[in-house]
Amino acid sequence: MIEPEDLRSHRWYGGGGLRDFSHRARSRQLGLNPEEHLGKPVIAILNTWSDINPCHLHLRERAEQVKRGVWQAGGYPLEFPVATLSETFQKPTPMLYRNLLSMEAEEILRSYPVDGAVLMGGCDKTTPALVMGATSAGLPAVFVPAGPMLRGHWRGETLGSGTDMWKYWDEKRAGTIGDAELSELERGLARSPGHCMTMGTASTMTSAVEAMGLALPGAASIPAVDSAHHRMAAASGMRIVELVWADLKITDVLTEAAYADAVTTVLALGGSTNALIHLVAMAGRGGIPLRLGDFDAAARKVPVLANIRPGGEHLMEDFYYAGGLRGLLSRIPDLLHLDRITVSGKDFGSTLDGALVHDDDVIRPRGNPVAAEGGIAVLRGNLAPDGAVIKHLAAEPRLLRHTGPAVVFEDYGDLRRRIDDPALGITEDTVLVLRGSGPIGGPGMPEYGMLPLPEHLLARGVRDLVRISDARMSGTSYGACVLHVAPESHVGGPLALVRDGDLVTLDVPGRVLRLEVTDEELAARRASWREPPPKYERGYGALYSEHITQADEGCDFDFLARAGTNPEPDPR
Ligand code: FES
């Protein structure tokens, strides 16, 4: 336990100098009496609420409940609005700005009189960004997940955000539904605040963060609009104050064992491929080596137990009623590190005590998994020397061992212009290749990886092809999509050398992605390859392009990922 004089904020308020006098005077300007806040832990609430982010629409109100908890526990809450990363609206992709939010989070925590932080996020990139920044800042922290939205509905069917949008858009292109049905779907897909309620990146990452022990037990599964979500927010506010007094820092919680359990959790959930990039980046901020090979090794022994779309059938609301993440984790205790500390104050194993599963179809027993092995595989070969990723759980099994001729698109614009051109001769055997979509080339590695199929194949009932790119894919997407090919084509990765008609082999059981072209021919093609011009000439985009790392390294900025310490500000 620490004393009030040991609080970091004491250096701003507690002395007899000019600056302390100024800080106290300005606190009175804020309307505070000294006894209300002096000597109390100052809790920064980093809130990614915005009018433009429907996934976080409730976080403005929820911050008030966090504050309630902080005050009740004897702390002093301060809300900081930080960049919202709205997966739907921000272009070219919020991934371009994940590191920017992480920098903002870190520097706010560093530069203000803050003793602990409550991190409020959920929409895809907000979770890793906040955790990355808070890890670099190194203070005590609790994550408050935004929670999933309610199920979608249409004509008696439940709809999953993202997943069913892609599905019915293909049906529209295939001509099986028309504008009237699409208009109804538009009204039924997203019915409440909260992040995507499929096992997309949002549910994957908030669940991973809870499993690591940075959120209160059970927090990530609670629907955004459930009253339990209000109570969880208040309890998180109370808990962060206790963590400050206990001096339990985020880096004490997010250990190597915690990251190993995050990987296991993602796999057991049938989670998003984006988790591979984000967890590598998050771990890197804590100096923890996490590699693609760690995911693949775990994937061979972790069963998929969550039967949630896009890899399964149900939605996050069903998952919550079935027992939520605690229920799922209680089925794989032998695969987890149970004796590590969590922000709840209990060890991880104790947080699972009493967890129950109420629906064996939503959270499958070990004897009846959705898939016996984790649904994600890491591929290597001459087409992806530094690795590529596929969520084979959500792919048609006939394509998991496949050799076919490539049809190559230079970038997403080229793809959109030509994909329906019959002259391309695309068949069920074709391998669609998209380049120019990586961390630098995209830019920002947009979620183009579920390449659309040509209309003539959709009309014939074809719903999947092998698709290869250096892009990412929404966690709500599906199909035989090989993603994150590294190095990316923009920096001369072998994807840049593929030509129409080249044979490409995908062998998921063998973990191989191979271009069936001789080394001599590839060397000749490389000799004539020219690096494309930079996407950005100035500003944040130029900074991003100069410092972003490749997908296998987490797409962090090199200057953020490296080890080192920065001086604490001297408030006096
Ligand atoms: Fe925000 Fe899917 S759009 S989580």
Side-chain angles (χ1 to χ4, degrees):
M1 291 293 288
I2 63 170
E3 299 298 322
E5 299 74 36
D6 302 324
L7 291 170
R8 185 172 176 272
S9 60
H10 182 76
R11 294 193 279 118
W12 271 259
Y13 298 113
L18 168 65
R19 296 293 173 196
D20 306 79
F21 165 68
S22 167
H23 298 149
R24 291 194 298 268
R26 291 296 182 160
S27 295
R28 290 182 191 261
Q29 184 185 10
L30 288 167
L32 289 164
N33 296 307
E35 59 273 21
E36 290 183 86
H37 72 103
L38 292 182
K40 297 182 175 184
V42 179
I43 307 301
I45 301 168
L46 302 189
N47 193 351
T48 51
W49 170 88
S50 164
D51 276 329
I52 192 67
N53 195 337
C55 305
H56 295 180
L57 210 57
H58 56 308
L59 292 189
R60 192 180 219 181
E61 175 199 3
R62 211 60 87 243
E64 295 304 318
Q65 285 124 23
V66 174
K67 289 179 193 173
R68 187 179 87 209
V70 171
W71 283 122
Q72 286 180 340
Y76 168 32
L78 289 171
E79 185 177 352
F80 291 86
V82 292
T84 205
L85 307 181
S86 174
E87 195 61 34
T88 305
F89 290 105
Q90 195 170 28
K91 308 298 176 189
T93 163
M95 187 63 182
L96 191 69
Y97 301 103
R98 184 199 66 182
N99 298 344
L100 186 63
L101 173 57
S102 84
M103 291 168 72
E104 184 186 19
E106 175 182 350
E107 298 306 327
I108 280 180
L109 297 181
R110 189 190 310 289
S111 58
Y112 282 107
V114 172
D115 299 303
V118 173
L119 314 171
M120 301 186 72
C123 190
D124 292 19
K125 314 302 180 289
T126 56
T127 301
L130 291 169
V131 174
M132 288 160 72
T135 301
S136 293
L139 300 176
V142 172
F143 188 77
V144 170
M149 68 176 97
L150 299 176
R151 298 184 195 99
H153 278 286
W154 179 62
R155 296 188 179 182
E157 283 183 41
T158 59
L159 298 175
S161 52
T163 303
D164 285 306
M165 179 184 74
W166 317 123
K167 176 180 154 186
Y168 284 106
W169 189 251
D170 276 352
E171 296 304 326
K172 163 89 164 63
R173 295 179 67 228
T176 57
I177 64 171
D179 288 341
E181 288 84 356
L182 213 60
S183 173
E184 291 172 23
L185 285 160
E186 192 175 300
R187 288 189 285 267
L189 264 168
R191 297 172 45 236
S192 81
H195 61 65
C196 288
M197 71 317 224
T198 41
M199 189 46 71
T201 305
S203 303
T204 302
M205 292 309 302
T206 56
S207 299
V209 166
E210 178 188 323
M212 284 196 286
L214 196 65
L216 292 185
S221 309
I222 305 170
V225 295
D226 196 294
S227 63
H229 199 270
H230 300 228
R231 299 192 297 274
M232 177 273 293
S236 299
M238 296 185 79
R239 189 63 201 140
I240 185 61
V241 176
E242 295 160 1
L243 289 173
V244 169
W245 289 128
D247 200 25
L248 187 75
K249 297 187 166 63
I250 187 170
T251 42
D252 298 325
V253 175
L254 301 187
T255 59
E256 192 164 351
Y259 275 101
D261 288 350
V263 171
T264 299
T265 302
V266 168
L267 293 166
L269 289 168
S272 165
T273 46
N274 282 317
L276 277 72
I277 295 177
H278 296 321
L279 288 174
V280 166
M282 290 157 57
R285 293 295 186 93
I288 294 167
L290 186 64
R291 300 281 173 257
L292 291 184
D294 299 323
F295 288 89
D296 202 59
R300 293 175 188 271
K301 61 184 184 201
V302 178
V304 180
L305 299 183
N307 186 12
I308 303 176
R309 294 178 221 180
E313 300 164 301
H314 301 285
L315 296 170
M316 285 301 287
E317 196 178 340
D318 308 299
F319 186 61
Y320 177 58
Y321 302 141
L325 185 66
R326 290 177 65 245
L328 179 135
L329 295 175
S330 71
R331 294 200 150 164
I332 52 170
D334 52 310
L335 302 177
L336 301 168
H337 301 81
L338 300 176
D339 58 354
R340 56 188 172 79
I341 193 68
T342 70
V343 295
S344 71
K346 301 176 186 166
D347 63 47
F348 182 43
S350 301
T351 68
L352 304 180
D353 287 349
L356 295 172
V357 173
H358 310 294
D359 188 330
D360 278 346
D361 188 46
V362 178
I363 301 174
R364 296 285 186 83
R366 295 279 278 270
N368 181 31
V370 177
E373 288 190 2
I376 293 174
V378 176
L379 310 169
R380 292 186 194 277
N382 67 349
L383 196 45
D386 293 335
V389 172
I390 184 169
K391 186 172 180 176
H392 54 95
L393 177 70
E396 286 190 9
R398 72 180 174 90
L399 296 171
L400 299 183
R401 265 205 179 102
H402 179 82
T403 298
V407 170
V408 182
F409 301 94
E410 292 301 325
D411 54 33
Y412 197 64
D414 181 33
L415 170 76
R416 276 195 310 200
R417 277 189 298 276
R418 296 197 297 132
I419 187 63
D420 291 323
D421 183 352
L424 293 176
I426 296 172
T427 72
E428 292 92 326
D429 290 332
T430 299
V431 174
L432 300 180
V433 173
L434 172 66
R435 55 187 169 221
S437 303
I440 301 175
M445 217 178 166
E447 295 186 335
Y448 297 156
M450 189 173 77
L451 279 61
L453 307 190
E455 280 182 0
H456 72 274
L457 286 187
L458 289 170
R460 283 177 33 208
V462 176
R463 291 292 182 271
D464 202 1
L465 292 180
V466 173
R467 295 162 259 184
I468 300 172
S469 73
D470 44 13
R472 295 174 302 110
M473 174 174 92
S474 165
T476 64
S477 300
Y478 49 85
C481 304
V482 177
L483 312 158
H484 310 183
V485 169
E488 65 171 308
S489 59
H490 191 93
V491 299
L495 203 64
L497 309 179
V498 185
R499 293 181 179 170
D500 285 341
D502 286 349
L503 288 179
V504 177
T505 294
L506 168 65
D507 177 1
V508 174
R511 303 300 200 249
V512 169
L513 182 66
R514 190 171 55 240
L515 184 61
E516 306 292 358
V517 171
T518 64
D519 291 346
E520 293 73 25
E521 171 62 16
L522 282 178
R525 293 182 189 180
R526 178 168 299 289
S528 61
W529 179 79
R530 295 289 171 269
E531 186 173 343
K535 293 269 176 180
Y536 293 97
E537 294 184 350
R538 59 165 299 282
Y540 174 73
L543 175 86
Y544 171 95
S545 302
E546 286 162 18
H547 294 283
I548 193 74
T549 62
Q550 289 290 299
D552 58 306
E553 301 168 297
C555 296
D556 202 355
F557 289 155
D558 51 9
F559 61 88
L560 294 174
R562 69 179 171 230
T565 54
N566 286 349
E568 271 279 289
D570 181 359
R572 292 167 185 167

